[in-house]
Amino acid sequence: MTDTTERTPLLKVEHLSKEFPAEAGMFAKRFSKRVVSAVNDISFEIYPGETFGLVGESGCGKSTTGRSIMRLTKPTAGKVFFEGRDISEMNKHELKDMRREMQFIFQDPYASLNPRMTIGEIVSEPMTIHNVGTKEERMETVRELLDVVGLNPEHINRYPHEFSGGQRQRVGIARAFALKPKLIICDEPVSALDVSIQAQVLNLLKDLQDKFGTAYLFIAHDLSVVQHISDRVGVMYLGKLVELSDWKTLYTEPHHPYTQSLLSAVPVPDPDIQRTRKRIILAGDPPSPLDPPSGCRFHTRCPMASERCSQDQPSFNEVAPGHFCACHYAEPFPIKESHIDL
Ligand SMILES: Nc1ncnc2c1ncn2[C@@H]1O[C@H](COP(=O)(O)OP(=O)(O)O)[C@@H](O)[C@H]1O
Ligand code: SF4
Ligand SMILES: [Mg+2]
């Protein structure tokens, strides 16, 4: 487990918010100043070599968080520091250097690889952009990378359509590792893959992390995926970070009612426990980020909500060392350790 007490963070996200203008015509308010509050005042840190899992339902702002960190989209407020440097103050040249150290693996291995480029061109592209080595040296590195990710280096001149979904994701992974970055943002890298392939790709990511010491921001909509890979986990709901802790604490003693409901939906291998345990079913669908609820954004679905929750926004308090929770009534909800793989 990563000891976060004495280490300097690789990445520091401070009070990050991102709002998008509501589309013209939406709700017939062409000149409306309404905004989609996709990410709202979130803060967290990622330490060298660790995996930080970011979890929450579709639309809660995970990809926007990842894209804001990479500066693929400009945050509305807040700051992102990479190795102590504020990325909003970097000029183009500095941003390009920083991007060498920060790569992205996308959810959809079908859409994210250019169909007209060979595997060799795709994997070597980051090295070409950053002028690393000669063409021969780059191709040699590509062969090594293909081998490391479990693909046949002789297939370097093939095109993406000649590969299966799992193999294409391996190509995407090889490309992300081409420059040996310090951080890779993995945005739901196994969600589009068959369940049978998911574990193989997760194991590959873990092996590569051990080999290269890379840190991951690992985005998923399902706690069961991040459980096997994360050192620490942050849970998002409607643009807010609602709970953050080391993964063992989060899985065994979740404090936030939303985390508790997500955990209660994770299948348990033991049929006796599965039959008898309490399932927390949330009422309704998540509200729209165009019009987020007042007070605690979760209050419209929270089984523990009180009058206060619709008025006062809970702050993100440290309930135990390294364990943060945004709930007025945060309490541990002990889940039997046998429920999870420790
Ligand atoms: N470019 C954009 N323009 C307008 N709204 C956006 C844009 N990107 C994302 N959103 C909205 O922001 C919210 C969060 O989206 P996203 O970060 O993609 O969530 P997630 O990755 O958790 O599914 C959603 O309501 C989405 O519709
Ligand atoms: S603050 Fe209130 S509504 Fe929000 S999670 Fe806690 S109990 Fe539920
Ligand atoms: Mg997403």
Side-chain angles (χ1 to χ4, degrees):
M1 179 155 312
T2 312
D3 176 9
T4 57
T5 48
E6 291 167 16
R7 304 175 74 186
T8 312
L10 178 64
L11 182 86
K12 198 168 186 334
V13 173
E14 260 183 23
H15 303 292
L16 181 75
S17 294
K18 176 67 186 178
E19 292 174 348
F20 294 105
E23 272 174 48
M26 202 185 251
F27 301 104
K29 286 191 177 175
R30 182 171 283 268
F31 301 106
S32 151
K33 292 231 172 67
R34 296 179 73 190
V35 292
V36 176
S37 172
V39 174
N40 187 270
D41 193 12
I42 68 170
S43 302
F44 63 94
E45 291 164 355
I46 300 182
Y47 292 86
E50 82 161 340
T51 299
F52 185 89
L54 191 61
V55 178
E57 284 162 294
S58 179
C60 72
K62 306 179 298 293
S63 296
T64 304
T65 302
R67 292 174 58 79
S68 304
I69 290 170
M70 285 285 274
R71 201 99 185 150
L72 298 173
T73 188
K74 194 173 171 222
T76 311
K79 289 197 179 294
V80 175
F81 297 89
F82 187 74
E83 296 189 307
R85 297 182 57 214
D86 182 349
I87 68 167
S88 68
E89 288 180 0
M90 290 182 183
N91 60 32
K92 260 192 180 162
H93 186 72
E94 291 167 324
L95 210 51
K96 188 175 170 193
D97 281 350
M98 191 268 305
R99 291 216 174 99
R100 233 185 119 139
E101 304 288 0
M102 223 199 265
Q103 296 285 315
F104 226 97
I105 297 173
F106 297 94
Q107 172 173 1
D108 188 347
Y110 294 88
S112 58
L113 305 181
N114 185 335
R116 280 183 287 279
M117 285 167 76
T118 64
I119 298 309
E121 287 164 346
I122 290 171
V123 176
S124 65
E125 194 178 41
M127 294 184 274
T128 313
I129 291 170
H130 290 278
N131 291 320
V132 175
T134 62
K135 188 157 188 227
E136 287 69 37
E137 285 164 349
R138 292 199 284 270
M139 285 306 145
E140 191 44 43
T141 307
V142 172
R143 282 194 194 86
E144 286 167 17
L145 283 163
L146 292 179
D147 188 43
V148 167
V149 301
L151 294 171
N152 186 343
E154 285 171 21
H155 294 170
I156 192 165
N157 291 320
R158 294 197 179 179
Y159 288 87
H161 74 265
E162 298 176 67
F163 294 86
S164 68
Q167 287 172 326
R168 285 187 213 197
Q169 197 53 300
R170 287 173 192 264
V171 173
I173 293 169
R175 179 188 158 97
F177 274 93
L179 296 168
K180 311 282 181 301
K182 291 184 177 146
L183 175 68
I184 300 182
I185 298 177
C186 309
D187 192 355
E188 305 210 31
V190 299
S191 302
L193 303 178
D194 286 350
V195 176
S196 57
I197 310 290
Q198 292 187 355
Q200 292 172 18
V201 172
L202 289 175
N203 287 338
L204 171 64
L205 286 169
K206 195 84 203 107
D207 290 347
L208 292 171
Q209 181 172 56
D210 292 344
K211 193 174 163 87
F212 298 114
T214 324
Y216 292 146
L217 171 60
F218 193 97
I219 295 174
H221 59 257
D222 184 344
L223 272 171
S224 60
V225 172
V226 294
Q227 161 182 338
H228 297 288
I229 192 155
S230 302
D231 296 298
R232 292 183 305 129
V233 178
V235 178
M236 277 185 87
Y237 183 81
L238 211 61
K240 303 286 281 185
L241 207 47
V242 297
E243 187 157 13
L244 186 164
S245 81
D246 69 88
W247 78 265
K248 188 178 169 189
T249 305
L250 193 99
Y251 281 81
T252 54
E253 272 183 53
H255 278 45
H256 197 283
Y258 181 60
T259 314
Q260 291 164 7
S261 77
L262 284 183
L263 264 172
S264 81
V266 174
V268 173
D270 184 328
D272 289 335
I273 297 173
Q274 177 74 17
R275 215 176 314 112
T276 54
R277 79 186 177 142
K278 196 171 149 207
R279 183 82 211 269
I280 304 166
I281 314 246
L282 298 179
D285 293 323
S288 164
L290 192 60
D291 191 15
S294 59
C296 174
R297 288 190 175 193
F298 188 50
H299 87 259
T300 54
R301 298 172 83 204
C302 179
M304 289 168 59
S306 72
E307 187 67 29
R308 178 182 177 202
C309 302
S310 59
Q311 288 152 19
D312 297 348
Q313 192 181 123
S315 46
F316 199 48
N317 292 324
E318 192 162 18
V319 291
H323 184 175
F324 296 82
C325 181
C327 172
H328 296 308
Y329 309 106
E331 272 186 31
F333 183 87
I335 301 227
K336 274 196 200 156
E337 298 221 348
S338 55
H339 283 202
I340 56 167
D341 263 340
L342 290 173

